[in-house]
Amino acid sequence: MRTIAFVTQKGGAGKSTLASSVAVAARASGERVFIIDLDPLQTLVKWAGAREAADIGVEHVPPAKLSKALAALEKKGVTLVVIDAPGQGGEHAAAAMRVSDLCVIPARPNAFDLWASETTRAQVKEVGCDYAFLLNQCPPSQQNARVEFGAKSLQAMGGLLAPLVSARVDYQEAARLGLGVSEYNPDGVAAQEMRELWGSIKRRLKKAAQDSKPAAKAPAKPAAKKKAA
Ligand SMILES: Nc1ncnc2c1ncn2[C@@H]1O[C@H](COP(=O)(O)OP(=O)(O)OP(=O)(O)O)[C@@H](O)[C@H]1O
Ligand SMILES: [Mg+2]
């Protein structure tokens, strides 16, 4: 089982929107997905309430019960847990960082979000969790100096996940209906973005797992042959 968390100190950067649509894209690719909603506002619990399908479990879990909840999910055969953390939730975000294999830090292409990303990065680094940034709500044309600056800044801060996620009504409509964008408009650009994003996250998780494996032992040297007397 792998656990990813959407975290950033900045409210409204897109944590819940992206967490729900990535969860749906991962489910469609064969993962057994569970969403843990750490936010006291329970945004994704409400999203699940609007959702007809029961294919993705969603539960509000307070930080103190997170480890126990994860152990139970692993026993049940869940393969991917997606945690949605609240904005400015110091204790909540820290709890998510401690239990996750990867923290995804979304930011919009503006100075305030980029500054908040630095603060979040410091927190993630202190906890020792792997992390990657994501640029969300980019103008759909994407040929924009602000987007370019944002992408370069996040790349320099430790890595940017592909693709750049654009600002599209599909994200808002899908959320309202309890759907992921790949369900709401499967042929749309937003759907393609979320499938691609899940692919990037999956590769990153795989690489981290490989890097953390102990190096294979070198084969033992054959014993030197004894000289015949
Ligand atoms: N790519 C996008 N395109 C269009 N709208 C978006 C996109 N991403 C997020 N939004 C909108 O931006 C607003 C904030 O998004 P969201 O609630 O997901 O952020 P958040 O980081 O979870 O906020 P909070 O910190 O308050 O939990 C919502 O109205 C959402 O619909
Ligand atoms: Mg949220």
Side-chain angles (χ1 to χ4, degrees), residues 82-132:
V82 178
I83 299 180
D84 181 27
Q88 299 162 0
E91 179 207 347
H92 295 74
M97 290 169 191
R98 278 195 293 273
V99 298
S100 294
D101 299 299
L102 176 68
C103 283
V104 180
I105 308 173
R108 290 159 293 191
N110 65 57
F112 295 168
D113 275 33
L114 295 175
W115 293 334
S117 299
E118 282 181 359
T119 310
T120 306
R121 177 183 67 159
Q123 204 183 354
V124 176
K125 278 181 93 169
E126 200 180 312
V127 171
C129 183
D130 188 20
Y131 64 93

Side-chain angles (χ1 to χ4, degrees), residues 12 14-17 39 43 84-87:
K15 296 176 290 294
S16 306
T17 302
D39 192 338
T43 307
D84 181 27

Side-chain angles (χ1 to χ4, degrees), residues 1-223:
M1 187 176 87
R2 291 140 307 153
T3 303
I4 60 172
F6 286 79
V7 292
T8 173
Q9 299 275 334
K10 189 80 174 133
K15 296 176 290 294
S16 306
T17 302
L18 298 166
S20 51
S21 271
V22 163
V24 168
R27 174 76 195 96
S29 81
E31 300 285 340
R32 295 187 64 185
V33 184
F34 197 94
I35 294 176
I36 290 187
D37 187 349
L38 266 187
D39 192 338
L41 290 176
Q42 304 200 19
T43 307
L44 292 189
V45 169
K46 288 169 191 150
W47 172 81
R51 183 172 176 80
E52 277 176 21
D55 55 343
I56 298 177
V58 183
E59 204 175 296
H60 173 64
V61 176
K65 297 195 171 156
L66 194 50
S67 299
K68 214 171 163 189
L70 287 172
L73 291 172
E74 183 149 34
K75 267 194 193 157
K76 278 189 189 159
V78 167
T79 59
L80 179 75
V81 176
V82 178
I83 299 180
D84 181 27
Q88 299 162 0
E91 179 207 347
H92 295 74
M97 290 169 191
R98 278 195 293 273
V99 298
S100 294
D101 299 299
L102 176 68
C103 283
V104 180
I105 308 173
R108 290 159 293 191
N110 65 57
F112 295 168
D113 275 33
L114 295 175
W115 293 334
S117 299
E118 282 181 359
T119 310
T120 306
R121 177 183 67 159
Q123 204 183 354
V124 176
K125 278 181 93 169
E126 200 180 312
V127 171
C129 183
D130 188 20
Y131 64 93
F133 296 97
L134 181 68
L135 208 51
N136 184 30
Q137 297 194 48
C138 300
S141 70
Q142 296 198 358
Q143 299 304 317
N144 177 312
R146 195 162 49 84
V147 171
E148 212 170 286
F149 176 75
K152 276 190 185 152
S153 306
L154 296 177
Q155 195 62 266
M157 270 199 264
L160 180 65
L161 288 168
L164 302 183
V165 178
S166 53
R168 290 185 190 269
V169 174
D170 277 8
Y171 287 101
Q172 301 181 1
E173 283 300 295
R176 184 173 66 83
L177 300 169
L179 298 172
V181 281
S182 53
E183 296 169 317
Y184 174 71
N185 179 7
D187 300 324
V189 176
Q192 184 51 33
E193 286 175 351
M194 288 300 104
R195 286 190 285 260
E196 211 180 314
L197 177 59
W198 166 237
S200 297
I201 291 172
K202 202 162 132 181
R203 279 193 296 280
R204 180 89 185 206
L205 286 168
K206 199 169 168 190
K207 187 175 176 302
Q210 280 166 354
D211 291 351
S212 68
K213 266 191 200 158
K217 272 190 186 170
K221 278 187 187 167

